[in-house]
Amino acid sequence: DDIDVVVLDYGLSLAQRYYLEHHGVRLHPGRRDGHVTVIRYRETRDLLDSSPYEQICLCDSGDLIFQDDISGVFQHCPDRFRAVCEDAKPVFSFFIKDDFFLPEDRQRITDSFLKNRMINGGFIIAPRAQMRELCDTCLRMILDKSHFGPDQLVVNYLLHQQGFEELERRYNFVVATSAEPVRIENGLILDQERQRIAVVHNAGNFRFLRPIDNFGYGPGHNVLKKEIYTALRGFYASRSGLATAQETVQRSRRELTALI
C-alpha cells in the first residue's frame, strides 16, 4: 500500500505501457540519449524532484527478478545507503580513464576501487536526499554517458566515501560472482538451505554471458547454462586473487611515495 513501482520508460511499446499502467505500475518518461544505466540517474533525479518519496530503491530491470518480499529493507537503516557487496570484483577498472572521468576524479575512483569491496549498483536503496546526491554525482562525474559501466565506479566511490549498510546477499544475489553456488528447482532460484532468494541478479552486459537462460518466473524458466556458469566462477575466482595483488602493489607504492 505504501510502495510505488515506477518504471523509467526509454521506449516501451504502446501495448507495454497499457499493460503496466493497468497493473498498478507508474511510468516516468525518459529521453534515451545515452546508455540507460547512466542516464537513468537523470530521470531518477527528475522523478524525485516531482514526487514526495521518502525511500527509493533504484534497481536494474530485465536481468533482475524478485522472488520474495523486500519491503523490510525500506525500514532497515532508513538514514543510510543500503546495498550488497559482491563476492568477486567484476571487470570495471577498464572504465577508469580520461574518456569517462576528469583526472582528479579518476584518481579518487582508482583509490576507492583498489582498496574496497565491490558494491553492486543494480540494487541500491537510499533516503531521498542521499539518492538525489548519488544521481547528481553520477551525472557530474561521468563525462561519456553513452557506455555501460562507469556508473558502477561512481556508486562504489560515493557509498564507500559516505558509508553504507551492507545488505544480506539474498537482496541482490549476483549469480555470476556469488561465492555461494546457485540452486534451481522447478524454476525457483534457491539458496543452499532451499530458501527463495529475494532478489536474483542475472548480471552481464552481453546476453550470452548471463549464466541463467529463460530468466523469469515459473516452471521451465531459469535454466542454468552450466558451461558459462562454471567458466564465470573460475574467471572471477582468478580475478579476485589478481585484484588483491593489485591492491597490495598500489598500497606499497603509496607507502614508498610517502617515505620519499
Side-chain angles (χ1 to χ4, degrees):
D1 291 339
D2 58 355
I3 297 175
D4 283 350
V5 177
V6 183
V7 169
L8 305 179
D9 178 5
Y10 293 104
L12 294 172
S13 68
L14 186 61
Q16 289 169 328
R17 292 187 186 114
Y18 180 87
Y19 181 88
L20 290 171
E21 288 174 336
H22 285 76
H23 285 79
V25 176
R26 176 181 174 184
L27 298 180
H28 182 82
R31 187 173 73 256
R32 191 163 186 170
D33 55 357
H35 199 287
V36 294
T37 57
V38 178
I39 59 175
R40 64 179 173 178
Y41 292 97
R42 179 186 61 204
E43 269 66 49
T44 300
R45 181 188 62 188
D46 294 344
L47 174 67
L48 294 180
D49 287 345
S50 63
S51 305
Y53 294 124
E54 298 174 0
Q55 295 287 328
I56 299 91
C57 173
L58 178 62
C59 67
D60 289 355
S61 62
D63 66 349
L64 186 150
I65 58 174
F66 299 88
Q67 298 189 127
D68 208 351
D69 180 21
I70 66 160
S71 59
V73 295
F74 286 97
Q75 283 77 46
H76 180 65
C77 297
D79 59 339
R80 308 187 75 195
F81 283 109
R82 283 141 282 168
V84 173
C85 288
E86 299 194 51
D87 293 323
K89 264 186 182 174
V91 186
F92 281 97
S93 55
F94 168 80
F95 298 102
I96 309 177
K97 56 184 184 180
D98 292 341
D99 291 353
F100 295 101
F101 301 106
L102 295 173
E104 58 270 26
D105 290 333
R106 191 178 69 245
Q107 187 58 55
R108 287 193 287 266
I109 287 171
T110 300
D111 291 342
S112 178
F113 178 80
L114 289 173
K115 72 180 181 181
N116 293 311
R117 295 176 65 199
M118 175 64 78
I119 300 166
N120 184 275
F123 186 87
I124 302 290
I125 299 178
R128 178 190 188 86
Q130 286 174 278
M131 182 61 77
R132 199 185 188 291
E133 182 178 0
L134 175 60
C135 293
D136 285 338
T137 303
C138 283
L139 294 171
R140 176 183 60 80
M141 291 183 74
I142 301 171
L143 304 178
D144 182 352
K145 298 176 174 58
S146 64
H147 290 77
F148 164 89
D151 61 295
Q152 177 84 359
L153 295 165
V154 180
V155 167
N156 273 264
Y157 165 71
L158 185 65
L159 267 64
H160 280 296
Q161 181 190 55
Q162 293 201 356
F164 70 101
E165 181 70 16
E166 183 176 350
L167 296 174
E168 296 176 39
R169 184 192 288 135
R170 69 185 302 269
Y171 288 111
N172 188 2
F173 186 97
V174 183
V175 179
T177 62
S178 175
E180 180 180 339
V182 67
R183 178 189 296 270
I184 302 175
E185 297 179 5
N186 298 319
L188 283 174
I189 303 171
L190 311 173
D191 61 21
Q192 294 305 292
E193 283 73 43
R194 285 188 164 86
Q195 299 298 309
R196 284 182 295 174
I197 298 171
V199 182
V200 183
H201 197 166
N202 191 28
N205 186 29
F206 301 105
R207 185 181 296 274
F208 75 92
L209 284 176
R210 293 174 183 168
I212 296 179
D213 205 10
N214 199 20
F215 195 52
Y217 299 96
H221 286 82
N222 301 324
V223 179
L224 188 66
K225 297 188 284 188
K226 293 182 180 179
E227 291 185 359
I228 294 292
Y229 179 60
T230 301
L232 287 171
R233 284 174 63 81
F235 172 74
Y236 284 121
S238 63
R239 279 283 304 173
S240 180
L242 180 61
T244 301
Q246 187 179 16
E247 178 186 341
T248 302
V249 170
Q250 186 76 3
R251 184 167 57 248
S252 299
R253 183 179 298 165
R254 286 198 301 268
E255 292 172 353
L256 181 60
T257 301
L259 289 172
I260 294 173

